[in-house]
Every structure is written in structure tokens, then in C-alpha cells.
Amino acid sequence: MIPWLPAGGDFPPPEHALDEPNGLLAAGGDLTPDTLVRAYQLGIFPWYDASQPILWWSPNPRCVFRPGDFHISRRLRRHLRGTTLTFHGDRDFAAVLDHCAAPRGEDGGTWITAEMRAAYLRLHGLGYAHCLTVDEDGELAGGIYGVQLGGVFFGESMFSTRTDGSKSVLAMLWALAPRLGIQLLDAQVENPHLMRLGACLMPRADFQRELDRLIPDPSPRPWPKGPFRWRDDI
């Protein structure tokens, strides 16, 4: 059994999350900017579909990237060196949300509901939520969006419309990490694709300690717009 949160209510401690399904912590609450910022600062994120109430999660272990972890294959490095790739920060955040919300898989569903879309658009307007995109031959090829608090980027979703679109965006995000002040990238839950790229699994308790260390101040941080091009020494 998980608790039901009133609007604006306090979250239970993340360690109270269920083991099965892994990380389910609470239901209810709201998606106001204040609630979302408090949730991310605690290592909690919303994930649900249109048939469910708002569900809050804190999985254990946590899938993360640390500086130097991201693996760039020779094939991807050749692709990144291509002169046709151009990256932009915070360009058309709404379009990135819509690409990420496009139905995937046989069920045709999406977890980015209209309510979630509106919530992250508000966070973007306040400077908490950001996106990075890549254009190939002048056309959108991939993107990622998420929330940055302090030195942590909480990745929410990414998409590709061309081969290696999302990989290219992740590689550039890590290349820009020192400029953006990012020291840890939260990928939430492991999958084979992320693990091949160099993600690692961090116990929840260690993840919580990293959040405490890296988020002394959750104030919004502006992102540079670009355009950026890949350089091996960026």
C-alpha cells in the first residue's frame, strides 16, 4: 500500500518506496512547479499514464551517468564529427516534448499526458526544465529534455528521428556538462541501451547523498542557446 498525497503535501521518505513495482512511492498530489522541484530534489519523479492518478517513483538502484562514464564508440565519434550536425540548447521545448510524447510500441500509448506536458512547459518557462536538440542536414534528428537542479540533470525523455540522434544528443550533453555545471545525469531506470553507453547503477542511499551534495541551491540555471558543433576537445 502506498500513501495518497493531498495537493501540496509532503512526500514520504524515498526509502519507503515499494520493491515491487520497483520504486513506487506515492500517488496523488499535483504537478505544480513547487511540487516538482521538491520531488526532484528528493530524487522522486512522476510517471503514470492517462488512466492512472499521478504516481511518484524513487527506484533502487538508480541508473546514472557520471563524468567520464559516457562511452563514445568509434562509429558514433565519426558521426559526431560530421559537419552536418548542429546542436541547440532550449530551442522549441514544446516540440521536443511532442516528439518524446509520440506513441511508441504496439500499444500506441504515452506517459507524457497533456497534464504532464503543461507541467514541464511551466518548469521550462521558470528556467528549471531544459532541452538539447541536434539537427542533421538542417532537420531535427534527436533531442532530450529534463530538469536541472544544481549539479544534477534529471533526464526525462529523449527521441530520435534519425540514426544516432539520441546518442549524439547525450554525447553533446556530457561534452557541455562542465559549461552547464552538470556533475551527475539521472537516467532513472536502467535499460540495455543506456548501459551500453556507460551508465551505471547507484544504490538509492548513495544517490540521495549525491543529491544532497550537488544541489546546495535548486535555483534555476540558464542554458546557452548555441548553436554548437562537436569537437573532440569541447
Side-chain angles (χ1 to χ4, degrees):
M1 183 68 69
I2 58 172
W4 180 267
L5 301 180
D10 292 333
F11 290 98
E15 59 269 22
H16 289 187
L18 300 181
D19 294 328
E20 183 59 41
N22 180 15
L24 182 58
L25 178 67
D30 57 62
L31 296 178
T32 63
D34 177 69
T35 296
L36 287 169
V37 170
R38 285 191 293 113
Y40 281 106
Q41 197 166 5
L42 293 169
I44 300 164
F45 59 88
W47 183 35
Y48 64 103
D49 64 37
S51 68
Q52 299 170 318
I54 301 172
L55 299 177
W56 300 94
W57 301 78
S58 177
N60 185 36
R62 197 70 164 234
C63 183
V64 301
F65 288 92
R66 295 170 298 191
D69 283 351
F70 190 81
H71 174 64
I72 301 177
S73 66
R74 283 181 292 180
R75 178 178 175 277
L76 178 58
R77 195 174 295 278
R78 287 195 300 270
H79 180 69
L80 288 164
R81 288 169 174 163
T83 58
T84 61
L85 296 184
T86 306
F87 299 83
H88 293 86
D90 281 346
R91 187 176 71 167
D92 204 348
F93 187 85
V96 173
L97 281 176
D98 292 340
H99 276 283
C100 289
R104 307 177 195 184
E106 295 181 359
D107 64 357
T110 178
W111 61 270
I112 304 178
T113 63
E115 183 182 31
M116 288 277 275
R117 184 181 188 276
Y120 284 91
L121 281 172
R122 288 193 295 269
L123 277 188
H124 176 64
L126 292 170
Y128 291 105
H130 301 280
C131 68
L132 183 68
T133 54
V134 59
D135 289 350
E136 184 175 357
D137 300 323
E139 303 225 346
L140 186 62
I144 186 172
Y145 83 91
V147 173
Q148 183 176 357
L149 298 180
V152 184
F153 183 77
F154 300 88
E156 275 298 318
S157 187
M158 57 186 179
F159 73 92
S160 292
T161 59
R162 293 200 182 186
T163 301
D164 290 335
S166 61
K167 288 182 183 179
S168 299
V169 164
L170 271 176
M172 179 57 87
L173 181 61
W174 267 126
L176 293 171
R179 183 171 176 179
L180 300 175
I182 296 171
Q183 300 178 58
L184 187 72
L185 193 159
D186 172 35
Q188 298 180 346
V189 180
E190 70 174 293
N191 64 49
H193 173 65
L194 293 173
M195 301 306 286
R196 283 193 297 269
L197 291 174
C200 66
L201 299 180
M202 183 178 288
R204 182 193 288 125
D206 292 348
F207 182 68
Q208 298 298 132
R209 282 191 287 269
E210 284 294 274
L211 297 187
D212 291 341
R213 181 177 71 87
L214 295 172
I215 313 177
D217 178 4
S219 301
R221 295 189 175 202
W223 272 24
K225 305 295 185 184
F228 310 103
R229 292 187 182 276
W230 179 265
R231 302 192 319 269
D232 287 336
D233 62 344
I234 196 168

